[in-house]
Amino acid sequence: MSINFEFKDFPKLETERFILRKGIVDDCKDIFALYSDEKVVKYLPLTLFASVDDALHELNWYDKIFKEQTGLRWVIEEAKTKKVIGTCGYLNYEKEHNRIEIGYDLKPEHWGKGIMQEALSKIIHFAFTSMAINKIEAKIEPENNSSIRLLEKLNFSQEGVLRQHELEKGKYVDLAIFSILKSEY
């Protein structure tokens, strides 16, 4: 099985309206604004960011997972304004099984505009065509209806629910598992 992508240079992807690229220090203020919004972190295993230093730590984590070849996280930059309005990417890359987990977030003022569907379509294509991924998984809290609708639009299927699977913000949460296979893409 031939794999084109080798985790050497971070891939820059473009859609009609957005640039998906590596996060840089200059993005800290936008990343801080994203993760200091209660609506954004409601279903994420993150606490509200208290400072720009938290954003820098997050960007350093993006670098770390790339260097370790366990994931990729793109910032979503509006092509017109050059503002970072969200992030998307992969983590928990299991190379031996050609499986990866998708994750994403977006500033609330941009919800409902097809932005995440546009961005995720691009990175899903990248995973299946450039990384030889066979299965992309998503773990979503069952109450996160907007995220579930997004995954359904992208042809993900629900596999089941992992009961009390993670301890997040002091409570155990269930996670619904969704996936898409390369053969379904």
Side-chain angles (χ1 to χ4, degrees), residues 50-185:
S51 71
V52 175
D53 283 344
D54 292 336
L56 183 59
H57 179 73
E58 183 74 4
L59 288 169
N60 288 336
W61 180 72
Y62 298 167
D63 284 342
K64 179 179 183 269
I65 64 172
F66 183 78
K67 286 176 186 160
E68 293 174 346
Q69 298 185 15
T70 59
L72 301 108
R73 194 73 173 197
W74 288 269
V75 297
I76 303 169
E77 178 185 273
E78 287 183 303
K80 287 183 181 178
T81 67
K82 303 297 182 199
K83 285 282 190 191
V84 171
I85 60 169
T87 75
C88 62
Y90 295 115
L91 64 154
N92 299 326
Y93 178 34
E94 295 181 48
K95 196 172 193 174
E96 66 276 11
H97 300 295
N98 297 315
R99 182 173 57 226
I100 205 159
E101 183 180 337
I102 199 167
Y104 44 87
D105 42 64
L106 189 66
K107 289 183 179 178
E109 60 266 28
H110 299 285
W111 291 356
K113 298 177 182 177
I115 293 167
M116 199 52 72
Q117 186 174 355
E118 184 177 328
L120 295 187
S121 293
K122 194 70 171 183
I123 70 166
I124 289 167
H125 179 78
F126 178 82
F128 285 142
T129 61
S130 297
M131 295 179 72
I133 293 296
N134 181 61
K135 181 179 184 181
I136 301 172
E137 298 175 331
K139 295 176 183 165
I140 308 295
E141 288 186 40
E143 301 80 24
N144 190 346
N145 293 318
S146 296
S147 192
I148 290 170
R149 280 193 305 275
L150 170 64
L151 292 172
E152 289 170 345
K153 286 178 187 175
L154 292 165
N155 297 318
F156 279 69
S157 300
Q158 185 170 347
E159 293 186 2
V161 175
L162 300 170
R163 299 178 312 138
Q164 296 187 6
H165 191 67
E166 289 184 351
L167 180 63
E168 293 181 10
K169 301 171 188 155
K171 66 177 185 162
Y172 289 101
V173 296
D174 295 343
L175 293 176
I177 302 297
F178 288 79
S179 69
I180 185 170
L181 303 176
K182 185 173 185 174
S183 62
E184 299 166 338
Y185 176 66

Side-chain angles (χ1 to χ4, degrees), residues 13-76:
L13 307 174
E14 294 186 29
T15 72
E16 186 177 321
R17 300 180 289 170
F18 305 100
I19 298 166
L20 308 178
R21 61 168 175 78
K22 179 181 177 174
I24 57 173
V25 173
D26 289 349
D27 299 324
C28 279
K29 287 182 182 176
D30 289 337
I31 296 296
F32 172 68
L34 177 70
Y35 294 125
S36 62
D37 189 313
E38 288 182 10
K39 293 176 187 171
V40 174
V41 301
K42 181 177 181 178
Y43 296 113
L44 296 178
L46 292 174
T47 55
L48 280 175
F49 281 12
S51 71
V52 175
D53 283 344
D54 292 336
L56 183 59
H57 179 73
E58 183 74 4
L59 288 169
N60 288 336
W61 180 72
Y62 298 167
D63 284 342
K64 179 179 183 269
I65 64 172
F66 183 78
K67 286 176 186 160
E68 293 174 346
Q69 298 185 15
T70 59
L72 301 108
R73 194 73 173 197
W74 288 269
V75 297
I76 303 169

